[in-house]
Amino acid sequence: RARREAAYYRATHDGLTGVQPIVRIKNDAPYTAAQMQSVYLDPTARARYDASRQTWSFEQYKGPSEAHPAEDTKVAEELLKSTLGPLMMESKGVGCDVQLTVEVNMDDATFVERNFTDQEIEHCRSQPDPRSSFAGRWCAKEAVIKAISNYAPDLPHLWHGGGGSLKQIEVTPSPSRAPRVTP
């Protein structure tokens, strides 16, 4: 933190005294056109500052991190294409969502409390892999939104945008332990 504060102080001082411009405008993105899709789809991708060239870049970027291997993403994409592709083109009211378990922040109490009912939280935390359980419930809730939105696209927005709570959609285990959406 002290290092960031010192860098901030130096940049502010240099900007106010005219040594450096206060705003530095980039002419190009820090990634190549070939890297763009991989960088956008990898939440762990980070640009690195090259002091010698005084620019940011992804030159050392080698693709998705170990947190979510590329083969996991490929398997999920192929599964969706083979099972739901034709159905999603011909029908209305179909919803599907895939989320990598490492991306579900179950340690964020605000996120959990805003999006899961007490029963869901209790169930997920009692499972051998709580993160997978939270991810599964999150995907089910997102799929419900997509299904309703696809079924009735002319209805006004039923949800409160990207930051809206999903607590009103409850996913509970059925007697067979399969997930079930309850009203």
Side-chain angles (χ1 to χ4, degrees):
R1 180 179 175 161
R3 197 173 27 202
R4 284 193 318 258
E5 287 177 354
Y8 165 78
Y9 176 80
R10 171 58 54 200
T12 303
H13 181 271
D14 288 352
L16 293 174
T17 58
V19 174
Q20 293 283 343
I22 292 175
V23 176
R24 295 180 189 137
I25 299 173
K26 298 182 214 172
N27 294 326
D28 298 310
Y31 45 80
T32 65
Q35 293 173 323
M36 180 171 42
Q37 185 174 5
S38 296
V39 169
Y40 281 174
L41 295 176
D42 183 2
T44 62
R46 298 291 182 264
R48 300 213 181 356
Y49 186 71
D50 182 350
S52 64
R53 295 186 333 186
Q54 295 186 338
T55 187
W56 292 86
S57 71
F58 281 93
E59 284 183 6
Q60 295 83 19
Y61 183 72
K62 295 179 178 37
S65 69
E66 291 299 315
H68 45 86
E71 26 324 322
D72 290 353
T73 304
K74 287 179 187 171
V75 168
E77 285 176 1
E78 289 303 316
L79 181 64
L80 286 174
K81 285 179 188 173
S82 66
T83 58
L84 294 176
L87 182 62
M88 291 178 76
M89 293 300 205
E90 298 170 9
S91 301
K92 285 189 169 189
V94 174
C96 182
D97 193 72
V98 176
Q99 185 77 42
L100 296 172
T101 57
V102 297
E103 295 173 349
V104 176
N105 191 0
M106 63 177 248
D107 301 322
D108 181 352
T110 303
F111 169 77
V112 171
E113 290 170 13
R114 278 179 45 98
N115 294 295
F116 299 96
T117 64
D118 292 338
Q119 183 179 355
E120 288 174 313
I121 294 169
E122 182 181 330
H123 172 77
C124 290
R125 293 214 167 124
S126 70
Q127 298 305 300
D129 186 354
R131 186 173 306 280
S132 292
S133 190
F134 276 111
R137 298 265 171 313
W138 176 257
C139 288
K141 290 169 182 261
E142 289 281 325
V144 167
I145 289 173
K146 291 174 183 176
I148 293 172
S149 298
N150 286 333
Y151 182 73
D154 297 330
L155 286 176
H157 296 290
L158 301 172
W159 317 108
H160 306 289
S165 169
L166 298 183
K167 200 170 193 171
Q168 66 268 43
I169 302 170
E170 186 175 37
V171 181
T172 57
S174 67
S176 69
R177 308 286 296 152
R180 172 180 57 195
V181 177
T182 56

